[in-house]
Structure formats: structure tokens, C-alpha cells
Amino acid sequence: MANGDPHHSLYPFRQIMYEVPSVQDAPDPVTSWRNNSGLAQIIRSYKDQECALSIRDAFPYSRAAGLKQCRDVLTDFTKLIFAPPNHHVTLTLGNSDGITKVFRLFGEKGDHFLTDEFSFPSMTNSPLAYGVKWVGVKMDSGGIIPEELERVLVKWDEVKSGRRPHVLYIIPVGQNPTGSTLSVDRRKKIYAIAQRWDLIIIEDDPYYFLQYDIPQTNCAPADPDEFIKNFRSTLIPTFLSMDVDGRVLRIDTFSKVLAPGMRLGWITSNELFHLKLADYTDSSTQPPHAFGQMFVTEMLSEHGWKVEGFCRWLKSLRLDYQSRRDFLLDVFRREVESTGYASVNCPEAGMFVWIEVFFEKHPRFVCERYSGGSPVVARTNTERLLKELFERLMNTQGVVFIPSSTFAIPENPLWVESDGHVPLSDRARFLRATFGGTEDIIEKGMIRLGKGLREFFQD
């Protein structure tokens, strides 16, 4: 008599059907599905017939952590792939929802969080409204530098800057925007630093399953358990998998491997964080929509792909993205590198390449010698030239690349070394590009970039 919950007899649907690729019948299900040459599999959710998560159970009001059936299949998947010690799953409305909730949980006005010096602004902007500031940690081609992370913590002056940072937010695989991936050695060093300084690690990993250049075997194991084991062995260990203290909150999503509009993901954390996140969700967004939870539950169940089938899809998907990456790099070498004005990294994972532009070759490039004062003040006009190039490419070539200044975390002289420090604004000489589009789009984009660079540098 207490709940205002509509009775299931009033739900205007009795069956929901999903037509998905038959992952067992094709060695490359992604290509077969895209080309309409593969078989399809029908997955159904019922109201009154047997299925993994019935319409009757999915659509009433539910607790914020998510429907038990969906949490159970994702917990099983997480245990098989990441093997975390004693962790719990909380459902989210995708990565953005999960990250902003975690930031809110751990941040107070005046706090500073740590992150890569180039980081995705949609995420780093979210805690600014309630007074959290960011400290960017130096990166190189391998991602965040552990020694630089520790240097920031050692030099921190709580009198001048407030309490020492206690949260590290990081995208360790296919980092957005740089495309860098942390090695196992760096991960171990960073986790050890987190233990020494009692840091909470927010492991945001939307591109984890898009890892490339993995040796392919001639034939896949027929046994499902062996297939999952072999697939897991090709993936780099996560911070979650080495988390013996319960200090890691791992954030996963289906956005990059199924569809972004699903708005469904999950956070894996220790039990205390799990309970706090559930309480926060109960009084804010409420749990994710039932349609997504039903689909994922059926997909990973005995009635659908199961975990093995999902791993087959992921394996095929990363090969597809690797092909797109390789195509972009080939066209870049032909159309852009030949200009002598830019180079590009070869990312080990993710969806992005980080294009370095050699602004020092521009006839209007200016560089001043450092003669004291603030170590973070620009000594070149790189930032202005980057803005000009961005606008020139957009307005005259009809192509958009995101300038690195968009991702740069503002520097503060209190936490940088004065001697030998190169201001971030002088190092922000990059453009971010994606290889997520079609080959036609990629080729046109690289051709226009090459033409635009020639015109810009001859100005």
C-alpha cells in the first residue's frame, strides 16, 4: 500500500526483441555485420516467459545500484576479465555519469585532484562548479610520468595550496586526447605511489578493449573458457587487478564497444564506496533505464552471446579499429608527413592520434629566452599559432581537428620546477584526430590537413 509503483499488468509491452550478430558463426563478426553478410541472432526479453531478466522484474522502481540480475552478470564479467579482489559493481548512466558522481563523492571545495596535463575537458570541468581544482602531471609518449607524479606530492605546500591531493583521475589505455597507454611498469610505480601517499585512483577506461598490435593465433580455441582465458591474456593488466587496498574505482562503459546512446556503464569499487555511490544515486539520477539493463543481462546470459560471445565481438571490434588506425597512418605519411610540418604518434589503443605540429618552422614563430619570473608564462607564440591553424583548417579546408590547448590543465607556479621547466602553453603544439570514421572521411581529412599545413606555413 505504500509504493506508488504502477502494476506490471499496465506495462504496454510483453516482449522485446533484439536482433544482434551471430558471433559464433563468423570469424570476424564485426565485418560480417557491417557488410550484412553474417547471420543474425535473436535475443528476447519476455514479461511472462523464461528469460534472464523479465519485463515484469525490470520495469518497477528499483534500487540505485542497478537491477540485481544485471549487476550479477557484470560482476561475473568483471571477475573473469579483471579478477579484482573483493570488489562490488554499481551501475551508471555511462562513463560521464559515473565519473561525475565519483568526483562529487571525493571532492570538497578547495581540494585539488591530480590528472594528466592533457585531459578530456568534459570530465575535468565537472568538479570545478563545487570548488575542486586540477593539478596536471607531466606526460610523455608513454602517458603520465610516475616520477613527476611523486614530485608534485613531495613538493606540495599545504600552507600555500591547501591539503595535499588525494585523488588521481587517469585514462590509462588509449588516453584521451594523446592516445598514450601506460605500461605495466608505470602502472606498478603509480600504484606504489598511491599507496605511499594514500591516493584514490579513478581508473576511467572506456577504450580498454580497443588495444592493438596483438599477435593473432591461427585458430581460436573451441572451448569457451579457453577462449576467454586467451582473450584476457592479450589485455594489459588494470589498476583494478592490482588493487590490494581497495583504493581503485574502475569505470567501464559500453559506449565504445556497443553504442554510446545506451548510456550504461558500471563502477567497480570496494564495498564502502559502492554503498556510498548507491546512496548518492538514490537521491540523484536513480538507476539506469531498464531497457539497457535488460539487453546487457540477456546478451551476457545463456540465452544470448554469453561472456565468450561478447569477447569474440570485442576481439573482432579491435581488429576493425586497428585497420582504421593503420589506414589513417598510411594516408598521414602520404599527405601530411611529406610536408615536413607535422608528425603523428602510433597509438597502442583507443580512437585518437596526437598530431605534433612543428610551429618553430613557421616564419612568424617567436621564442624568447627565460629571464626569471613565473615559470609558467609562455615564452613562444605557439598557442596563438595553434589557434590560427585550427581556424584556418576549419574555415578554408572545412575540416576540424581539436587543438591541444582545449585539453591543457592550467599550470600553477606553486607546483612546477622553475629550473628547466617548459610552460605547457609552449608544449601545446598538437592536434587531436580520430580514426573512428570511415576510410573516406579519414582520407579526406588527411588530404585537407596536408593542404592546410602547406598554406599555413607558407603564409
Side-chain angles (χ1 to χ4, degrees), residues 59-70:
F59 280 91
Y61 292 122
S62 62
R63 290 302 306 273
L67 295 165
K68 181 180 183 303
Q69 297 91 328
C70 189

Side-chain angles (χ1 to χ4, degrees), residues 327-359:
F327 181 79
L328 183 149
L329 294 175
D330 286 343
V331 180
F332 184 94
R333 281 188 283 267
R334 186 186 78 216
E335 300 292 339
V336 183
E337 194 174 272
S338 59
T339 68
Y341 299 130
S343 65
V344 69
N345 69 326
C346 178
E348 299 173 35
M351 298 174 63
F352 304 109
V353 293
W354 198 227
I355 299 169
E356 182 175 9
V357 182
F358 306 140
F359 288 108

Side-chain angles (χ1 to χ4, degrees), residues 12-28:
F13 31 74
R14 295 195 181 100
Q15 178 183 185
I16 299 172
M17 182 184 76
Y18 318 94
E19 184 175 352
V20 300
S22 180
V23 293
Q24 300 289 351
D25 297 315
D28 184 5

Side-chain angles (χ1 to χ4, degrees), residues 54 70 145 222 351 365 379:
S54 71
C70 189
I145 303 170
M351 298 174 63
F365 179 75
R379 296 161 218 163

Side-chain angles (χ1 to χ4, degrees), residues 90-135:
T90 310
L91 299 190
T92 68
L93 294 161
N95 260 39
S96 299
D97 174 59
I99 293 164
T100 53
K101 283 175 178 169
V102 171
F103 287 165
R104 195 70 187 90
L105 192 65
F106 293 109
E108 298 178 359
K109 185 177 182 180
D111 280 347
H112 292 81
F113 287 175
L114 299 155
T115 191
D116 306 275
E117 62 181 353
F118 293 105
S119 198
F120 187 47
S122 293
M123 295 299 94
T124 55
N125 285 344
S126 66
L128 299 180
Y130 44 90
V132 173
K133 299 178 181 179
W134 288 97
V135 179

